[in-house]
């Protein structure tokens, strides 16, 4: 993957100790638990190091980058040192929960908190559909918007390529967030209760959409739907009872809605019967 530019921030606790931001361009790695292999890994460092030395002696230490992780080789003997990491510029990090868009440029998020971090492979204008129990307010980077209707998309927002962008959503009971390039018609699958799912088609475009959607079920049967006059920003949904053998099944809607059709997969686990 190409280099990802991170966001300003600081590191959380590490298995080997802590990373302390002394100045905007200087990190101190305080080692309190020496790893057995004498290598310290600092994940999510987006700023390139200039040099890495032992703090008290100035002795240069061996280091390398593994993706967005900095790996420093500690001396094999002696007390665990404090490591000084000088940076080429201001500290920028890649948060551990950063999500990259899939091949269709779509993010499919089930957030564990109010903020997620997104990375796009290429620049695009995107819209956001939040599945929540209240009208959401969305903050993407330094842009914000509130939904006039909780069942419609919000946007567009410009999304740059290769830049970590925070997405914050204020709403009650957020179940899922879909982010897609403007112009996309997206099919998604959502749990609605025991033994039932909902197939949802959302128009992230600027023009009215029409097409067909189909879903093959785990028991070998299938469902087929057509939709007409789906307005920009709107969604249409169909309930689907789910039957089939026990185990894990990956479902994906077959969607035909023009050149920008996309479909997010969904995995279910059916319990054993009897």
């Amino acid at each position: 993957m190409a280099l990802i530019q991170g966001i300003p921030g600081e590191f959380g606790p590490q298995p080997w100790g802590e990373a302390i931001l002394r100045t905007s361009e200087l990190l101190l790695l305080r080692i309190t638990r020496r790893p057995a292999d004498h290598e310290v890994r600092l994940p999510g460092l987006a700023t390139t190091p200039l040099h890495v030395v032992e703090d008290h002696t100035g002795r240069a230490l061996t280091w390398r980058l593994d993706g967005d992780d900095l790996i420093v080789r500690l001396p094999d003997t002696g007390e665990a040192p404090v490591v000084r990491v000088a940076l080429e510029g201001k500290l920028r990090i890649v948060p551990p929960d950063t999500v990259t868009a899939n091949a269709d440029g779509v993010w499919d998020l089930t957030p564990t908190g109010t903020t997620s971090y997104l990375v796009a492979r290429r620049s695009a204008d995107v819209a956001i559909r939040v599945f929540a129990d209240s009208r959401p307010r969305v903050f993407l980077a330094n842009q914000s918007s509130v939904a006039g209707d909780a069942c419609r998309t919000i946007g567009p927002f410009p999304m740059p390529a290769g830049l970590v962008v925070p997405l914050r959503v204020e709403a009650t009971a957020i179940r899922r967030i879909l982010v897609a390039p403007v112009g996309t018609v997206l099919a998604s699958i959502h749990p609605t209760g025991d033994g039932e799912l909902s197939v949802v088609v959302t128009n992230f475009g600027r023009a009215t959409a029409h097409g067909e959607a189909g879903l093959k079920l785990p028991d070998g049967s299938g469902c087929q739907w057509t939709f007409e006059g789906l307005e920009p920003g709107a969604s249409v949904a169909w309930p689907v009872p789910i039957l089939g053998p026990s185990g894990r099944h990956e479902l994906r809607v077959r969607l035909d809605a023009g050149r920008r059709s996309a479909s997010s997969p969904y995995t279910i686990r059916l319990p054993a019967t009897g």
Side-chain angles (χ1 to χ4, degrees):
M1 178 182 291
L3 176 66
I4 295 174
Q5 183 180 356
I7 64 172
E10 298 187 20
F11 296 97
Q14 303 295 320
W16 41 262
E18 59 181 341
I20 302 167
L21 184 62
R22 177 60 60 84
T23 70
S24 63
E25 300 180 3
L26 178 63
L27 274 174
L28 294 181
L29 310 185
R30 191 182 305 277
I31 315 300
T32 57
R33 293 174 293 278
R34 178 190 287 270
D37 60 1
H38 307 290
E39 286 194 341
V40 168
R41 179 182 289 266
L42 180 65
L45 177 63
T47 310
T48 303
L50 277 175
H51 53 79
V52 179
V53 302
E54 198 172 14
D55 185 45
H56 296 302
T57 66
R59 179 171 58 174
L61 298 175
T62 301
W63 62 276
R64 68 185 188 276
L65 291 176
D66 179 14
D68 299 314
D69 295 358
L70 170 65
I71 300 175
V72 179
R73 175 77 186 187
L74 303 178
D76 292 343
T77 59
E79 295 183 1
V82 174
V83 176
R84 180 183 292 263
V85 181
L87 304 171
E88 285 187 354
K90 292 183 178 180
L91 172 67
R92 299 182 74 85
I93 67 170
V94 179
D97 52 354
T98 299
V99 181
T100 303
N102 65 19
D104 292 323
V106 174
W107 292 265
D108 188 342
L109 308 170
T110 303
T112 56
T114 59
T115 303
S116 304
Y117 297 91
L118 310 182
V119 170
R121 292 183 173 90
R122 52 188 176 273
S123 298
D125 285 342
V126 302
I128 299 169
R129 171 74 161 92
V130 180
F131 294 85
D133 293 341
S134 64
R135 190 174 65 174
R137 184 174 183 86
V138 170
F139 300 83
L140 185 67
N142 60 350
Q143 313 150 73
S144 67
S145 183
V146 61
D149 181 343
C151 297
R152 300 182 71 89
T153 64
I154 306 173
F157 299 94
M159 174 71 72
L163 179 67
V164 175
V165 175
L167 169 65
R168 182 163 59 92
V169 176
E170 293 181 352
T172 58
I174 301 171
R175 299 184 297 276
R176 199 168 179 186
I177 302 171
L178 298 173
V179 184
V182 171
T184 302
V185 180
L186 177 64
S188 54
I189 300 171
H190 304 256
T192 56
D194 291 340
E196 189 172 271
L197 297 173
S198 179
V199 171
V200 179
V201 173
T202 301
N203 183 5
F204 286 84
R206 294 188 173 98
T208 301
H210 64 275
E212 297 181 351
L215 179 65
K216 185 177 181 180
L217 302 176
D219 64 356
S221 64
C223 299
Q224 191 83 19
W225 306 274
T226 61
F227 57 95
E228 299 282 347
L230 185 60
E231 296 179 355
S235 296
V236 60
W238 304 278
V240 183
I242 296 297
L243 299 173
S246 62
R248 182 178 178 273
H249 303 273
E250 182 174 279
L251 306 179
R252 185 188 290 267
V253 177
R254 181 188 56 78
L255 177 67
D256 182 5
R259 185 174 61 88
R260 295 295 297 272
S261 301
S263 181
S264 290
Y266 184 78
T267 300
I268 62 171
R269 185 175 294 277
L270 296 179
T273 58

